[in-house]
Amino acid sequence: GQNIDQPTEMTATEGAIVQINCTYQTSGFNGLFWYQQHAGEAPTFLSYNVLDGLEEKGRFSSFLSRSKGYSYLLLKELQMKDSASYLCAVNGQAGTALIFGKGTTLSVSS
Amino acid sequence: DTGVSQDPRHKITKRGQNVTFRCDPISEHNRLYWYRQTLGQGPEFLTYFQNEAQLEKSRLLSDRFSAERPKGSFSTLEIQRTEQGDSAMYLCASSFNTAEAFFGQGTRLTVV
């Protein structure tokens, strides 16, 4: 079977750095995605990792270790607008669907 | 292309009625996904198509749910004999192969 785990909730203050972890067990691996979802809106794509290492995109970075089945999303210089749910999703074995974790709700306070 | 569009945005129906939702993906995308999402949860996979072929269907999906993508373009999701537990946001997403998926705004279903 397939399983994706992330913390349910996290809190942080403006200007801080936060790391959201994701662990996965899947049959095969064809990429890991991070999405952001604000309340009442559709998920929007943030980052993609298919090889081990760090991908940086502005204030957001994502890391992948395939051998450990582990990824994290790093958000720097937090802003109030970063308060949202962050979803980890994995493409497993070729020909299988994109599967999501339950999401991590991040609350940023001033 | 304006992205993935879903219709209707909201649907209220009485228990026992049938409902059908439509999704128009990004035109060059060959994969189309349907997900269901309830408050505080991540998107739950329902089914997906590669072109017109339905390649995978969640084991959680009862036989009241059916989806089609007749010409490999738009897709419909039908729920027969709706139940209150079907109340949720139904999300459609599309992608080109295993590249990032783009989501529509969803159809919010309320069964009363």
Side-chain angles (χ1 to χ4, degrees):
Chain A
Q2 301 186 101
N3 192 49
I4 300 173
D5 286 315
Q6 348 177 193
T8 304
E9 293 181 344
M10 298 185 72
T11 59
T13 53
E14 266 188 308
I17 299 173
V18 71
Q19 178 176 312
I20 303 174
N21 296 325
C22 170
T23 58
Y24 63 91
Q25 298 93 41
T26 57
S27 303
F29 180 81
N30 278 284
L32 185 144
F33 299 84
W34 285 94
Y35 283 80
Q36 180 190 60
Q37 187 176 26
H38 284 101
E41 298 181 8
T44 54
F45 168 74
L46 286 178
S47 70
Y48 170 64
N49 295 72
V50 67
L51 299 176
D52 291 351
L54 189 68
E55 294 286 338
E56 297 187 82
K57 200 187 264 191
R59 295 190 297 116
F60 291 39
S61 304
S62 57
F63 171 83
L64 174 67
S65 169
R66 288 172 296 170
S67 62
K68 295 181 179 177
Y70 168 70
S71 173
Y72 67 72
L73 180 69
L74 194 70
L75 293 78
K76 303 175 187 175
E77 300 168 15
L78 280 173
Q79 302 174 11
M80 298 290 285
K81 67 177 182 179
D82 297 328
S83 293
S85 178
Y86 291 85
L87 302 163
C88 175
V90 177
N91 259 322
Q93 192 173 14
T96 61
L98 180 64
I99 302 298
F100 283 80
K102 294 187 186 301
T104 300
T105 300
L106 174 65
S107 300
V108 180
S109 59
S110 56
Chain B
D1 198 332
T2 55
V4 180
S5 62
Q6 293 187 243
D7 184 70
R9 292 290 307 277
H10 303 273
K11 178 71 177 179
I12 300 174
T13 191
K14 291 184 178 179
R15 192 174 47 177
Q17 297 293 304
N18 298 344
V19 294
T20 300
F21 309 142
R22 177 181 170 121
C23 172
D24 287 89
I26 293 171
S27 58
E28 61 267 27
H29 286 180
N30 55 354
R31 286 194 172 192
L32 186 148
Y33 302 88
W34 285 101
Y35 295 90
R36 176 172 60 191
Q37 188 174 30
T38 53
L39 198 62
Q41 300 295 312
E44 175 191 17
F45 169 70
L46 296 178
T47 189
Y48 100 97
F49 294 83
Q50 179 135 333
N51 301 312
E52 64 273 13
Q54 188 173 20
L55 292 191
E56 194 174 350
K57 191 173 174 180
S58 170
R59 285 170 289 178
L60 301 175
L61 208 61
S62 80
D63 56 9
R64 296 185 298 106
F65 288 71
S66 62
E68 293 183 342
R69 193 183 184 198
K71 295 182 180 178
S73 56
F74 74 93
S75 175
T76 57
L77 177 70
E78 181 183 18
I79 309 174
Q80 297 182 326
R81 305 181 302 281
T82 51
E83 302 172 357
Q84 287 190 319
D86 297 331
S87 295
M89 176 71 84
Y90 289 83
L91 292 166
C92 175
S94 71
S95 70
F96 182 72
N97 293 330
T98 57
E100 66 269 25
F102 292 85
F103 282 82
Q105 291 301 304
T107 295
R108 181 168 295 284
L109 173 66
T110 303
V111 182
V112 297

